[in-house]
């Protein structure tokens, strides 16, 4: 039986998401980041003439060899925060993450969004955002541009956050983008303007989930949620996961409840004064990962676990 689909209202963009800065730079709730990398010449075309490898600005050892970041996830034109070797291991884990689920009428392939998939993801989010906020269709293209800037800004926080996308394959065997969801793994990936009630900053957080309108009620939202939880279990040992659900969204609320999420706190009536819908903050304790799975300990060092954490 198909589980309830995620509604259009699962989007939780920061409240100060459209703040214009000099040179037309758009900030979506995250601070400007500094870039620290070395450039290694490669044989790529002129527009991709450098391969980026991430190094520590504090390292004085000339013999240390930096680890390259996965190029399928990291666009060379994107500014990156400095990442340490443990973060590079996390990037490779994100690059390798892929799951396939059986859904109504076909299958769903879920993986971490690549650089070349940003545009289609931004379009899907813009359409869902416009639908939930009753924005006229003629503004969707402009919204897609703004959402793309938000996605590019968030990608500078890899691997502390990630965006999963799901491709639906029906009987015609053609894959189409069906849904997306964003995950924050720790405080370094948290938005500066998280919706109220505010979840613990250091805890994993699932947000900005959207499913294409014509593909809802095929268990796509349910499987995006399951994939998010599985990826969280691989990326961190923190077991308590948070998400928001608007009080008016009964279908998503039923799905979250079925998945084991419980209400922690609810917006007060004062939320109406800021022209926002009241929301539930919900949480769930994930089960311990299976033995011998690769996880990261609380100090963010990769370890091979043989115990039930």
């Amino acid at each position: 039986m198909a589980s309830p689909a995620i509604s259009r209202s699962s989007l939780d963009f920061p409240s100060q998401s459209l703040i214009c800065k000099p040179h037309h730079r758009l900030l979506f709730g995250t601070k400007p980041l500094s870039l620290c990398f070395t450039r290694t010449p490669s044989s790529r075309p002129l527009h991709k003439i450098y391969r980026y490898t991430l190094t520590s600005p504090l390292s004085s050892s000339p013999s240390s060899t930096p680890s390259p970041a996965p190029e399928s996830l990291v666009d060379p034109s994107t500014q990156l925060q400095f990442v340490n070797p443990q973060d590079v291991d996390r990037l490779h884990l994100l690059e390798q993450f892929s799951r396939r689920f059986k859904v109504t009428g076909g299958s769903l392939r879920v993986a971490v969004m690549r650089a070349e998939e940003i545009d289609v993801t931004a379009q899907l989010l813009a359409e869902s955002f416009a639908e939930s906020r009753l924005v006229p269709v003629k503004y969707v293209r402009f919204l897609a541009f703004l959402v793309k800037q938000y996605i590019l800004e968030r990608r500078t926080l890899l691997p502390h956050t990630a965006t999963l996308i799901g491709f639906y394959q029906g009987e015609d065997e053609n894959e189409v983008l069906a849904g997306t969801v964003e995950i924050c793994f720790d405080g370094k990936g948290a938005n500066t303007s998280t919706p109220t009630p505010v979840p613990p900053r250091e805890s994993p957080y699932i947000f900005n989930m959207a499913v294409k309108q014509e593909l809802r009620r095929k268990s796509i939202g349910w499987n995006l949620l399951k994939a998010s939880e599985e990826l969280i279990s691989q990326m961190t040992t923190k077991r308590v996961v948070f998400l928001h659900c608007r009080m008016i969204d009964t279908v998503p609320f039923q799905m979250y409840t079925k998945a084991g999420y419980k209400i922690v706190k609810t917006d007060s009536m004062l939320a109406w004064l800021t022209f926002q819908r009241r929301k539930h903050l919900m949480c769930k304790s994930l089960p311990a990962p299976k033995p011998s799975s690769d996880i990261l300990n609380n100090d963010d060092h990769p370890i091979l676990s043989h115990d039930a954490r």
Side-chain angles (χ1 to χ4, degrees):
M1 178 174 60
S3 62
I6 291 292
S7 79
R8 59 185 179 270
S9 59
S10 299
L11 299 176
D12 284 325
F13 291 105
S15 58
Q16 67 224 40
S17 56
L18 307 181
I19 303 177
C20 295
K21 296 290 183 180
H23 307 292
H24 306 286
R25 182 177 181 180
L26 297 173
L27 299 181
F28 283 68
T30 54
K31 298 178 180 179
L33 302 169
S34 60
L35 178 63
C36 180
F37 55 79
T38 59
R39 289 181 170 182
T40 304
S42 69
S43 57
R44 289 173 174 262
L46 184 60
H47 68 287
K48 291 185 177 179
I49 197 168
Y50 294 111
R51 175 171 296 157
Y52 296 132
T53 53
L54 306 170
T55 60
S56 170
L58 303 179
S59 174
S60 58
S61 173
S63 60
S64 60
T65 303
S67 300
E71 291 190 358
S72 59
L73 289 181
V74 180
D75 186 346
S77 64
T78 303
Q79 290 186 338
L80 288 175
Q81 275 187 313
F82 159 73
V83 292
N84 54 37
Q86 289 76 32
D87 284 342
V88 173
D89 290 338
R90 283 181 162 189
L91 285 171
H92 284 287
L93 193 155
L94 292 175
E95 180 187 40
Q96 296 167 7
F97 184 82
S98 179
R99 297 292 181 271
R100 186 173 288 275
F101 304 94
K102 288 185 178 180
V103 297
T104 304
S107 64
L108 181 73
R109 178 177 61 85
V110 180
V112 177
M113 181 187 65
R114 267 52 176 174
E116 64 272 16
E117 295 162 338
I118 292 176
D119 287 333
V120 290
T121 304
Q123 181 67 29
L124 172 59
L125 285 169
E127 291 171 357
S128 297
F129 184 83
E131 185 183 355
S132 66
R133 298 298 191 272
L134 302 179
V135 176
V137 176
K138 63 181 180 180
Y139 294 113
V140 170
R141 184 175 179 181
F142 177 65
L143 276 175
F145 168 78
L146 298 179
V147 173
K148 181 178 179 180
Q149 309 313 306
Y150 166 81
I151 293 175
L152 291 173
E153 188 84 13
R154 293 290 293 167
R155 281 172 62 80
T156 63
L157 301 179
L158 283 167
H160 304 285
T161 184
T163 298
L164 292 180
I165 54 176
F167 287 92
Y168 175 76
Q169 185 178 49
E171 295 179 354
D172 58 2
E173 298 186 354
N174 292 325
E175 283 192 332
V176 295
L177 181 64
T180 181
V181 61
E182 191 172 349
I183 310 166
C184 164
F185 301 112
D186 52 43
K188 293 182 180 179
N191 257 318
T192 56
S193 300
T194 306
T196 58
V198 179
R201 184 174 177 81
E202 295 297 328
S203 296
Y205 176 60
I206 299 173
F207 60 115
N208 283 349
M209 185 182 289
V211 174
K212 202 167 186 178
Q213 186 176 27
E214 57 267 31
L215 293 176
R216 292 172 188 165
R217 297 194 176 275
K218 292 181 178 291
S219 301
I220 291 173
W222 174 267
N223 287 298
L224 283 173
L225 182 63
K226 295 290 107 180
S228 300
E229 294 175 351
E230 184 176 348
L231 183 57
I232 289 171
S233 295
Q234 295 184 28
M235 294 290 288
T236 178
T237 56
K238 298 184 176 105
R239 302 267 69 87
V240 181
V241 182
F242 290 83
L243 55 79
H244 281 103
C245 180
R246 298 196 313 181
M247 292 182 65
I248 64 171
D249 297 327
T250 56
V251 174
F253 179 76
Q254 292 172 1
M255 189 195 75
Y256 294 141
T257 302
K258 180 181 177 181
Y261 288 85
K262 297 183 178 181
I263 297 175
V264 177
K265 192 175 181 181
T266 301
D267 270 328
S268 69
M269 295 298 294
L270 294 177
W272 289 99
L273 298 179
T274 58
F275 304 100
Q276 297 183 21
R277 298 284 189 178
R278 295 178 66 194
K279 299 175 294 299
H280 296 303
L281 176 64
M282 308 180 73
C283 78
K284 172 185 178 179
S285 294
L286 299 180
K290 295 179 181 180
S292 300
S293 61
D294 290 325
I295 59 174
L296 301 173
N297 65 13
N298 288 326
D299 295 326
D300 291 338
H301 295 293
I303 60 175
L304 184 62
S305 173
H306 295 281
D307 56 29
R309 288 180 176 252

